[in-house]
Amino acid sequence: MTIALAIEFIPIRMKEYGIAEYGEQYHHFVIQPSKTKIIEGFNHFWFLMDENPNISITSYSGDYDLSNPAIDEQTYEHQGLIVITNNGSSPANIRFMQIIPNEQNIK
């Protein structure tokens, strides 16, 4: 997902969830080779902004791993416990847009 697509897509997606107000936070992580980063993304939405063939992501919403032919649909929206692994031999950059619902305005 590109940033331009996210800007268009996120408000539509939040409306589908009944979330009227929310905050956004941009994250750019550098994951070292063979390392894993764990994000506790409960009650938040994390939208992947990049495609990276060396990164695998597993969350409650689904999986993203371009190198795995068994995954028939790549997931760009993640929630819950999010596990990001760099399967490559060099540092990998990965960017997310974190959406933080304003709990008082969930319809």
Side-chain angles (χ1 to χ4, degrees), residues 38-46 58-61 78-83:
I38 298 174
I39 298 170
E40 293 186 14
F42 301 97
N43 301 320
H44 294 181
F45 302 88
W46 290 73
T58 301
S59 74
Y60 293 166
S61 300
H78 296 277
Q79 283 186 289
L81 191 66
I82 303 166
V83 180

PDB file of all heavy atoms in Angstrom, residues 38-46 58-61 78-83:
ATOM      1  N   ILE A  38       8.405  -7.041  17.848  1.00  0.00           N
ATOM      2  CA  ILE A  38       7.032  -7.354  18.244  1.00  0.00           C
ATOM      3  C   ILE A  38       6.344  -6.066  18.660  1.00  0.00           C
ATOM      4  O   ILE A  38       6.866  -5.298  19.465  1.00  0.00           O
ATOM      5  CB  ILE A  38       7.005  -8.385  19.391  1.00  0.00           C
ATOM      6  CG1 ILE A  38       7.635  -9.690  18.903  1.00  0.00           C
ATOM      7  CG2 ILE A  38       5.576  -8.599  19.891  1.00  0.00           C
ATOM      8  CD1 ILE A  38       7.800 -10.741  19.968  1.00  0.00           C
ATOM      9  N   ILE A  39       5.155  -5.855  18.091  1.00  0.00           N
ATOM     10  CA  ILE A  39       4.339  -4.689  18.410  1.00  0.00           C
ATOM     11  C   ILE A  39       3.050  -5.186  19.046  1.00  0.00           C
ATOM     12  O   ILE A  39       2.397  -6.084  18.509  1.00  0.00           O
ATOM     13  CB  ILE A  39       3.998  -3.879  17.140  1.00  0.00           C
ATOM     14  CG1 ILE A  39       5.273  -3.361  16.488  1.00  0.00           C
ATOM     15  CG2 ILE A  39       3.040  -2.747  17.463  1.00  0.00           C
ATOM     16  CD1 ILE A  39       5.054  -2.765  15.117  1.00  0.00           C
ATOM     17  N   GLU A  40       2.703  -4.606  20.175  1.00  0.00           N
ATOM     18  CA  GLU A  40       1.410  -4.908  20.784  1.00  0.00           C
ATOM     19  C   GLU A  40       0.410  -3.905  20.244  1.00  0.00           C
ATOM     20  O   GLU A  40       0.272  -2.805  20.774  1.00  0.00           O
ATOM     21  CB  GLU A  40       1.523  -4.870  22.302  1.00  0.00           C
ATOM     22  CG  GLU A  40       2.409  -5.986  22.844  1.00  0.00           C
ATOM     23  CD  GLU A  40       2.428  -6.045  24.354  1.00  0.00           C
ATOM     24  OE1 GLU A  40       1.582  -5.412  25.016  1.00  0.00           O
ATOM     25  OE2 GLU A  40       3.309  -6.749  24.875  1.00  0.00           O
ATOM     26  N   GLY A  41      -0.254  -4.274  19.160  1.00  0.00           N
ATOM     27  CA  GLY A  41      -1.152  -3.378  18.446  1.00  0.00           C
ATOM     28  C   GLY A  41      -2.612  -3.604  18.762  1.00  0.00           C
ATOM     29  O   GLY A  41      -3.462  -3.484  17.879  1.00  0.00           O
ATOM     30  N   PHE A  42      -2.909  -3.938  19.987  1.00  0.00           N
ATOM     31  CA  PHE A  42      -4.294  -4.190  20.387  1.00  0.00           C
ATOM     32  C   PHE A  42      -5.078  -2.879  20.358  1.00  0.00           C
ATOM     33  O   PHE A  42      -4.584  -1.834  20.773  1.00  0.00           O
ATOM     34  CB  PHE A  42      -4.339  -4.811  21.783  1.00  0.00           C
ATOM     35  CG  PHE A  42      -3.577  -6.109  21.865  1.00  0.00           C
ATOM     36  CD1 PHE A  42      -2.279  -6.128  22.334  1.00  0.00           C
ATOM     37  CD2 PHE A  42      -4.150  -7.288  21.435  1.00  0.00           C
ATOM     38  CE1 PHE A  42      -1.557  -7.316  22.388  1.00  0.00           C
ATOM     39  CE2 PHE A  42      -3.447  -8.484  21.489  1.00  0.00           C
ATOM     40  CZ  PHE A  42      -2.151  -8.496  21.964  1.00  0.00           C
ATOM     41  N   ASN A  43      -6.298  -2.931  19.844  1.00  0.00           N
ATOM     42  CA  ASN A  43      -7.210  -1.777  19.755  1.00  0.00           C
ATOM     43  C   ASN A  43      -6.708  -0.677  18.836  1.00  0.00           C
ATOM     44  O   ASN A  43      -7.248   0.423  18.843  1.00  0.00           O
ATOM     45  CB  ASN A  43      -7.521  -1.204  21.141  1.00  0.00           C
ATOM     46  CG  ASN A  43      -8.147  -2.228  22.052  1.00  0.00           C
ATOM     47  OD1 ASN A  43      -8.985  -3.022  21.622  1.00  0.00           O
ATOM     48  ND2 ASN A  43      -7.734  -2.243  23.295  1.00  0.00           N
ATOM     49  N   HIS A  44      -5.660  -0.957  18.074  1.00  0.00           N
ATOM     50  CA  HIS A  44      -5.153  -0.019  17.081  1.00  0.00           C
ATOM     51  C   HIS A  44      -5.091  -0.752  15.740  1.00  0.00           C
ATOM     52  O   HIS A  44      -5.131  -1.982  15.693  1.00  0.00           O
ATOM     53  CB  HIS A  44      -3.755   0.477  17.428  1.00  0.00           C
ATOM     54  CG  HIS A  44      -3.712   1.311  18.661  1.00  0.00           C
ATOM     55  ND1 HIS A  44      -2.554   1.863  19.133  1.00  0.00           N
ATOM     56  CD2 HIS A  44      -4.666   1.704  19.532  1.00  0.00           C
ATOM     57  CE1 HIS A  44      -2.789   2.551  20.227  1.00  0.00           C
ATOM     58  NE2 HIS A  44      -4.070   2.462  20.501  1.00  0.00           N
ATOM     59  N   PHE A  45      -4.990   0.009  14.686  1.00  0.00           N
ATOM     60  CA  PHE A  45      -4.860  -0.554  13.348  1.00  0.00           C
ATOM     61  C   PHE A  45      -3.506  -0.128  12.798  1.00  0.00           C
ATOM     62  O   PHE A  45      -3.146   1.049  12.875  1.00  0.00           O
ATOM     63  CB  PHE A  45      -5.980  -0.042  12.433  1.00  0.00           C
ATOM     64  CG  PHE A  45      -7.347  -0.359  12.935  1.00  0.00           C
ATOM     65  CD1 PHE A  45      -7.995   0.512  13.805  1.00  0.00           C
ATOM     66  CD2 PHE A  45      -7.991  -1.522  12.556  1.00  0.00           C
ATOM     67  CE1 PHE A  45      -9.262   0.233  14.282  1.00  0.00           C
ATOM     68  CE2 PHE A  45      -9.260  -1.812  13.036  1.00  0.00           C
ATOM     69  CZ  PHE A  45      -9.894  -0.943  13.899  1.00  0.00           C
ATOM     70  N   TRP A  46      -2.773  -1.054  12.247  1.00  0.00           N
ATOM     71  CA  TRP A  46      -1.454  -0.786  11.684  1.00  0.00           C
ATOM     72  C   TRP A  46      -1.502  -1.105  10.194  1.00  0.00           C
ATOM     73  O   TRP A  46      -1.737  -2.255   9.806  1.00  0.00           O
ATOM     74  CB  TRP A  46      -0.392  -1.645  12.374  1.00  0.00           C
ATOM     75  CG  TRP A  46      -0.146  -1.233  13.791  1.00  0.00           C
ATOM     76  CD1 TRP A  46      -0.967  -1.421  14.870  1.00  0.00           C
ATOM     77  CD2 TRP A  46       0.994  -0.543  14.277  1.00  0.00           C
ATOM     78  NE1 TRP A  46      -0.395  -0.895  15.996  1.00  0.00           N
ATOM     79  CE2 TRP A  46       0.812  -0.346  15.664  1.00  0.00           C
ATOM     80  CE3 TRP A  46       2.167  -0.079  13.687  1.00  0.00           C
ATOM     81  CZ2 TRP A  46       1.746   0.300  16.452  1.00  0.00           C
ATOM     82  CZ3 TRP A  46       3.100   0.566  14.477  1.00  0.00           C
ATOM     83  CH2 TRP A  46       2.888   0.741  15.849  1.00  0.00           C
ATOM     84  N   THR A  58       3.289 -11.321  10.835  1.00  0.00           N
ATOM     85  CA  THR A  58       2.174 -12.149  11.275  1.00  0.00           C
ATOM     86  C   THR A  58       1.426 -11.368  12.341  1.00  0.00           C
ATOM     87  O   THR A  58       2.035 -10.788  13.241  1.00  0.00           O
ATOM     88  CB  THR A  58       2.679 -13.476  11.860  1.00  0.00           C
ATOM     89  OG1 THR A  58       3.427 -14.155  10.855  1.00  0.00           O
ATOM     90  CG2 THR A  58       1.539 -14.348  12.328  1.00  0.00           C
ATOM     91  N   SER A  59       0.101 -11.334  12.225  1.00  0.00           N
ATOM     92  CA  SER A  59      -0.730 -10.672  13.230  1.00  0.00           C
ATOM     93  C   SER A  59      -2.063 -11.402  13.301  1.00  0.00           C
ATOM     94  O   SER A  59      -2.313 -12.342  12.538  1.00  0.00           O
ATOM     95  CB  SER A  59      -0.953  -9.199  12.866  1.00  0.00           C
ATOM     96  OG  SER A  59      -1.872  -9.081  11.800  1.00  0.00           O
ATOM     97  N   TYR A  60      -2.923 -10.929  14.194  1.00  0.00           N
ATOM     98  CA  TYR A  60      -4.252 -11.520  14.311  1.00  0.00           C
ATOM     99  C   TYR A  60      -5.070 -11.318  13.041  1.00  0.00           C
ATOM    100  O   TYR A  60      -5.991 -12.060  12.766  1.00  0.00           O
ATOM    101  CB  TYR A  60      -4.997 -10.920  15.500  1.00  0.00           C
ATOM    102  CG  TYR A  60      -4.413 -11.273  16.849  1.00  0.00           C
ATOM    103  CD1 TYR A  60      -4.791 -10.584  17.979  1.00  0.00           C
ATOM    104  CD2 TYR A  60      -3.483 -12.285  17.012  1.00  0.00           C
ATOM    105  CE1 TYR A  60      -4.263 -10.892  19.233  1.00  0.00           C
ATOM    106  CE2 TYR A  60      -2.946 -12.604  18.241  1.00  0.00           C
ATOM    107  CZ  TYR A  60      -3.353 -11.900  19.353  1.00  0.00           C
ATOM    108  OH  TYR A  60      -2.837 -12.206  20.577  1.00  0.00           O
ATOM    109  N   SER A  61      -4.687 -10.325  12.229  1.00  0.00           N
ATOM    110  CA  SER A  61      -5.431 -10.015  11.004  1.00  0.00           C
ATOM    111  C   SER A  61      -4.998 -10.860   9.808  1.00  0.00           C
ATOM    112  O   SER A  61      -5.730 -10.956   8.837  1.00  0.00           O
ATOM    113  CB  SER A  61      -5.256  -8.543  10.637  1.00  0.00           C
ATOM    114  OG  SER A  61      -5.745  -7.730  11.673  1.00  0.00           O
ATOM    115  N   HIS A  78      -2.963  -4.683   9.939  1.00  0.00           N
ATOM    116  CA  HIS A  78      -2.635  -5.594  11.033  1.00  0.00           C
ATOM    117  C   HIS A  78      -3.174  -5.073  12.360  1.00  0.00           C
ATOM    118  O   HIS A  78      -3.263  -3.865  12.576  1.00  0.00           O
ATOM    119  CB  HIS A  78      -1.120  -5.795  11.107  1.00  0.00           C
ATOM    120  CG  HIS A  78      -0.578  -6.470   9.898  1.00  0.00           C
ATOM    121  ND1 HIS A  78      -0.601  -7.828   9.738  1.00  0.00           N
ATOM    122  CD2 HIS A  78      -0.032  -5.969   8.759  1.00  0.00           C
ATOM    123  CE1 HIS A  78      -0.086  -8.145   8.567  1.00  0.00           C
ATOM    124  NE2 HIS A  78       0.265  -7.022   7.957  1.00  0.00           N
ATOM    125  N   GLN A  79      -3.504  -6.027  13.238  1.00  0.00           N
ATOM    126  CA  GLN A  79      -3.991  -5.727  14.589  1.00  0.00           C
ATOM    127  C   GLN A  79      -3.489  -6.791  15.543  1.00  0.00           C
ATOM    128  O   GLN A  79      -3.054  -7.865  15.127  1.00  0.00           O
ATOM    129  CB  GLN A  79      -5.522  -5.745  14.630  1.00  0.00           C
ATOM    130  CG  GLN A  79      -6.196  -4.543  14.052  1.00  0.00           C
ATOM    131  CD  GLN A  79      -7.684  -4.638  14.292  1.00  0.00           C
ATOM    132  OE1 GLN A  79      -8.361  -5.448  13.690  1.00  0.00           O
ATOM    133  NE2 GLN A  79      -8.179  -3.816  15.189  1.00  0.00           N
ATOM    134  N   GLY A  80      -3.627  -6.487  16.844  1.00  0.00           N
ATOM    135  CA  GLY A  80      -3.259  -7.451  17.869  1.00  0.00           C
ATOM    136  C   GLY A  80      -1.758  -7.538  18.038  1.00  0.00           C
ATOM    137  O   GLY A  80      -1.041  -6.550  17.914  1.00  0.00           O
ATOM    138  N   LEU A  81      -1.277  -8.731  18.306  1.00  0.00           N
ATOM    139  CA  LEU A  81       0.155  -8.962  18.436  1.00  0.00           C
ATOM    140  C   LEU A  81       0.736  -9.047  17.028  1.00  0.00           C
ATOM    141  O   LEU A  81       0.377  -9.930  16.251  1.00  0.00           O
ATOM    142  CB  LEU A  81       0.418 -10.247  19.212  1.00  0.00           C
ATOM    143  CG  LEU A  81       1.851 -10.474  19.648  1.00  0.00           C
ATOM    144  CD1 LEU A  81       2.265  -9.418  20.680  1.00  0.00           C
ATOM    145  CD2 LEU A  81       2.009 -11.851  20.225  1.00  0.00           C
ATOM    146  N   ILE A  82       1.642  -8.133  16.692  1.00  0.00           N
ATOM    147  CA  ILE A  82       2.211  -8.042  15.349  1.00  0.00           C
ATOM    148  C   ILE A  82       3.684  -8.426  15.436  1.00  0.00           C
ATOM    149  O   ILE A  82       4.450  -7.801  16.169  1.00  0.00           O
ATOM    150  CB  ILE A  82       2.051  -6.618  14.780  1.00  0.00           C
ATOM    151  CG1 ILE A  82       0.569  -6.210  14.781  1.00  0.00           C
ATOM    152  CG2 ILE A  82       2.645  -6.531  13.373  1.00  0.00           C
ATOM    153  CD1 ILE A  82       0.355  -4.723  14.548  1.00  0.00           C
ATOM    154  N   VAL A  83       4.057  -9.468  14.702  1.00  0.00           N
ATOM    155  CA  VAL A  83       5.428  -9.973  14.721  1.00  0.00           C
ATOM    156  C   VAL A  83       6.051  -9.690  13.355  1.00  0.00           C
ATOM    157  O   VAL A  83       5.585 -10.196  12.332  1.00  0.00           O
ATOM    158  CB  VAL A  83       5.468 -11.482  15.035  1.00  0.00           C
ATOM    159  CG1 VAL A  83       6.899 -11.993  15.041  1.00  0.00           C
ATOM    160  CG2 VAL A  83       4.780 -11.765  16.367  1.00  0.00           C
TER     161      VAL A  83
END
